[in-house]
């Protein structure tokens, strides 16, 4: 397996182009199941998770074609199978997003239950309860969700007990082909959901309340093809903001949207990082030391759980202490022992971690169990003295496009070591 080698201590300077959002692209690809016409997605990131979703769609009979410039994905074709097999779903939990579209379009779906993962148990009960309210009959059989509906799904008023991102997306897609009106109250408000709703609207669905916590969808009998450009990745943006902050220097994030990373930008500002909006994106600059800042992860527009590990790496070299509380996933501190191996002083008590800043980290061989944890170790490596080798790079490849090339272009001493070396 490839590894990433970083020799720390170099400030960054330059520009990084932010790609399309992975977590918007995945549900948007699932939305391709809602129409027999062609859905064209632009600004699609070239990532392992996207390839996994493409193979799942291919298994359903959908033709998935990359455009010549490789950032455009065309989806279309007849659904020939309503089964999402365990072999694909176990690789990527977002596969469960095909459930709502398949059920709405074909009246049946057999989707493997995703099971737990490194960051928590992650049940899908809210997805299933919402679909049941819309008339679906669901049973669990042999590890699979087996769902069916006689005729069309019916509009319903669904109040989510928690604003789950995935449940909101699945229900939004199902509702767009349901009979009558669906209301999703306490809906998640992440920008990726707004992006999905905009695409569904372009496909002929009538969705109001986009961006808010109450989505109202008037179901259509049929959706048509559309062309939709995916929003920039706010977590990739946030990760490089933290890179500039931890390494020092100045980075220009081209195509990034400050409004989507407001909670993180506030925390970075409190820590002493200058963040400003430019005509082309966001400029991040750190000249002086960093101060410890407490953060707590929350649903959007709160501080994102997907930035918690990266922010912890940053706080590990800040002056003073920082308390980081994780409220979204119960097991998302897997990066702590690895950061501590690099000399960080982090103690976890339940859902909170106390980070006592140290003057410098020291390079070490490290590994991680999920995507954001892996990239937090890359960030720590940028600031550490000596060499850091991050293994299990396949986690990084699921969600970051050319992370080493983008950082190297800004002056970082970082390279990928191929498996056979
Ligand atoms: C999405 O996951 C993202 N994934 C995650 O990004 C992100 O961390 C998460 O939202 C929170 O922002 C994609 O968009 C593909 P949730 P999702 O449903 O939809 C519990 C990354 O690194 N819950 O909002 O799975 C659940 O267990 C990934 O890119 C239920 O209890 O998140 C969790 O504790 C990791 N029952 C919490 O809600 C349900 O039916 C939030 O989950 C659904 C969720």
């Amino acid at each position: 397996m490839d590894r990433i080698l970083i020799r720390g201590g170099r400030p960054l300077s330059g520009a990084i182009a932010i790609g399309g959002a992975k977590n918007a692209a995945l549900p948007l690809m699932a939305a391709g199941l809602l129409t027999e016409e062609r859905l064209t997605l632009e600004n699609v990131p070239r990532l392992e998770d996207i390839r996994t979703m493409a193979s799942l769609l291919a298994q359903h009979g959908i033709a998935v074609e990359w455009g010549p410039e490789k950032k455009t994905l065309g989806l279309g074709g007849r659904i020939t199978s309503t089964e999402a097999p365990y072999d694909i779903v176990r690789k990527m939990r977002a596969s469960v997003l095909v459930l709502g579209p398949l059920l709405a379009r074909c009246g049946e779906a057999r989707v493997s239950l995703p099971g737990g993962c490194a960051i928590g148990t992650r049940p899908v009960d809210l997805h299933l309860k919402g679909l049941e309210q819309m008339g679906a009959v669901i049973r669990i059989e042999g590890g699979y969700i087996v769902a069916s509906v006689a005729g069309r799904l019916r509009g319903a008023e669904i109040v989510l007990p928690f604003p789950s991102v995935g449940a909101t997306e699945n229900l939004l897609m199902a509702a767009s082909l349901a009979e009558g009106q669906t209301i999703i109250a306490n809906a998640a408000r992440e920008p990726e959901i707004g992006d999905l709703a905009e695409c569904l609207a372009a496909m002929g669905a009538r969705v109001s309340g986009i961006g808010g916590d109450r989505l109202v969808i008037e179901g259509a009998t049929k959706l048509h093809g559309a062309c939709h450009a995916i929003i920039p990745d706010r977590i990739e943006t946030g990760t490089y903001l933290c890179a500039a902050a931890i390494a020092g220097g100045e980075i220009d994030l081209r195509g990034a949207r400050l409004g989507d990373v407001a909670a993180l930008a506030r925390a970075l500002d409190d820590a002493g990082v200058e963040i400003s909006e430019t005509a082309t994106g966001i400029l991040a600059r750190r000249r002086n030391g960093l101060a410890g800042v407490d953060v707590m992860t929350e649903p959007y527009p709160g501080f994102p759980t997907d930035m918690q590990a990266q922010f912890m790496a940053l706080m590990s070299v800040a002056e003073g202490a920082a308390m980081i509380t994780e409220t979204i996933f119960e097991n998302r501190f897997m990066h702590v022992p690895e950061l501590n191996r690099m000399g960080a002083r982090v103690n976890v008590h339940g859902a909170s971690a106390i980070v006592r800043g140290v003057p410098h980290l020291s390079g070490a061989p490290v590994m991680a169990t999920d995507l954001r944890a892996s990239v937090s170790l890359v960030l720590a490596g940028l600031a550490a003295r000596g060499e850091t080798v991050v293994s299990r790079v396949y986690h990084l490849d699921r969600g970051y496009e050319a992370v080493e090339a983008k950082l190297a272009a800004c002056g970082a001493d970082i390279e990928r070591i191929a498996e056979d070396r």
Side-chain angles (χ1 to χ4, degrees):
M1 267 175 277
D2 290 1
R3 289 166 294 159
I4 300 272
L5 166 67
I6 308 137
R7 295 182 194 88
R10 291 217 199 171
L12 302 179
S13 165
I16 290 179
I18 297 301
K22 165 182 83 85
N23 288 348
L26 294 172
L28 283 165
M29 289 173 73
L33 291 164
L34 291 167
T35 176
E36 58 192 22
E37 294 179 20
R38 188 177 176 86
L39 176 64
T40 303
L41 299 173
E42 293 174 347
N43 200 26
V44 183
R46 302 277 288 175
L47 298 168
E48 202 46 46
D49 275 7
I50 300 297
R51 285 186 272 273
T52 303
M53 185 57 101
S55 53
L56 180 57
L57 293 179
Q59 130 88 30
H60 293 310
I62 302 293
V64 183
E65 290 160 18
W66 284 99
E69 79 301 359
K70 301 291 187 200
K71 282 201 164 178
T72 301
L73 206 56
L75 308 169
R78 213 168 56 81
I79 297 173
T80 53
S81 159
T82 53
E83 173 157 332
Y86 177 62
D87 263 3
I88 299 183
V89 179
R90 73 182 167 81
K91 281 196 211 154
M92 187 185 69
R93 298 181 47 87
S95 306
V96 80
L97 293 172
V98 299
L99 176 63
L102 285 174
L103 193 54
R105 183 86 194 287
C106 309
E108 57 167 43
R110 195 166 176 272
V111 176
S112 171
L113 265 171
C117 74
I119 61 177
T121 48
R122 301 182 76 182
V124 290
D125 55 321
L126 305 179
H127 304 229
L128 304 190
K129 276 184 197 140
L131 292 170
E132 279 173 342
Q133 268 187 268
M134 297 175 78
V137 176
I138 299 180
R139 60 179 202 282
I140 304 298
E141 198 181 85
Y144 277 72
I145 303 161
V146 182
S148 61
V149 62
R152 286 169 72 193
L153 287 170
R154 292 181 294 280
E157 180 159 359
I158 301 164
V159 183
L160 291 176
F162 175 86
S164 154
V165 173
T168 304
E169 292 166 343
N170 238 332
L171 297 172
L172 179 57
M173 289 188 280
S176 67
L177 280 183
E179 198 177 333
Q181 186 186 71
T182 299
I183 298 173
I184 309 175
N186 198 26
R189 285 181 287 166
E190 271 68 3
E192 294 76 21
I193 288 164
D195 205 30
L196 173 63
E198 299 286 359
C199 178
L200 293 174
M203 293 168 75
R206 280 180 293 153
V207 187
S208 55
I210 297 177
D213 64 358
R214 188 171 186 274
L215 295 169
V216 181
I217 307 107
E218 304 290 340
T221 45
K222 217 172 170 184
L223 294 183
H224 53 74
C227 179
H228 177 82
I230 297 173
I231 56 170
D233 195 312
R234 66 193 166 94
I235 306 301
E236 187 189 25
T237 301
T239 300
Y240 290 121
L241 290 175
C242 287
I246 201 165
E250 185 175 303
I251 310 192
D252 183 3
L253 299 180
R254 302 263 164 87
R257 302 199 306 200
L258 187 55
D260 289 351
V261 293
L264 171 68
R266 275 193 299 276
L268 288 172
D269 183 61
D270 289 348
V273 185
E274 290 171 36
I275 307 275
S276 54
E277 196 161 20
T278 66
T280 52
I282 306 178
L283 191 71
R285 178 162 43 200
R286 175 172 75 78
R287 289 210 190 90
N288 303 314
L290 290 163
V293 176
D294 297 346
V295 296
M296 178 159 86
T297 64
E298 289 174 314
Y300 191 86
F303 189 96
T305 174
D306 290 347
M307 283 305 306
Q308 181 256 108
Q310 302 90 313
F311 196 75
M312 186 181 289
L314 184 63
M315 289 298 99
S316 70
V317 292
E319 194 164 318
M323 184 162 83
I324 298 183
T325 305
E326 173 59 59
T327 73
I328 307 293
F329 292 108
E330 69 274 20
N331 193 25
R332 212 174 192 183
F333 283 135
M334 304 293 276
H335 41 286
V336 169
E338 299 300 295
L339 286 172
N340 284 349
R341 293 188 56 249
M342 297 178 70
R345 289 179 62 206
V346 186
N347 276 321
V348 175
H349 293 282
S352 292
I354 287 287
V355 187
R356 295 184 176 87
V358 295
H360 61 84
L361 298 172
S362 60
V366 285
M367 63 167 76
T369 43
D370 82 272
L371 166 60
R372 311 301 171 187
S374 302
V375 86
S376 78
L377 300 173
V378 171
L379 297 186
L382 294 176
R385 289 186 178 167
E387 282 188 6
T388 297
V389 178
V390 182
S391 48
R392 298 197 180 164
V393 166
Y394 58 88
H395 288 299
L396 273 178
D397 293 338
R398 290 186 57 178
Y400 290 93
E401 215 176 341
V403 65
E404 69 280 11
K406 289 184 178 185
L407 287 170
C410 291
D413 188 346
I414 179 169
E415 63 180 299
R416 180 180 286 250
I417 309 171
E419 185 173 15
D420 47 9
R421 267 177 60 193

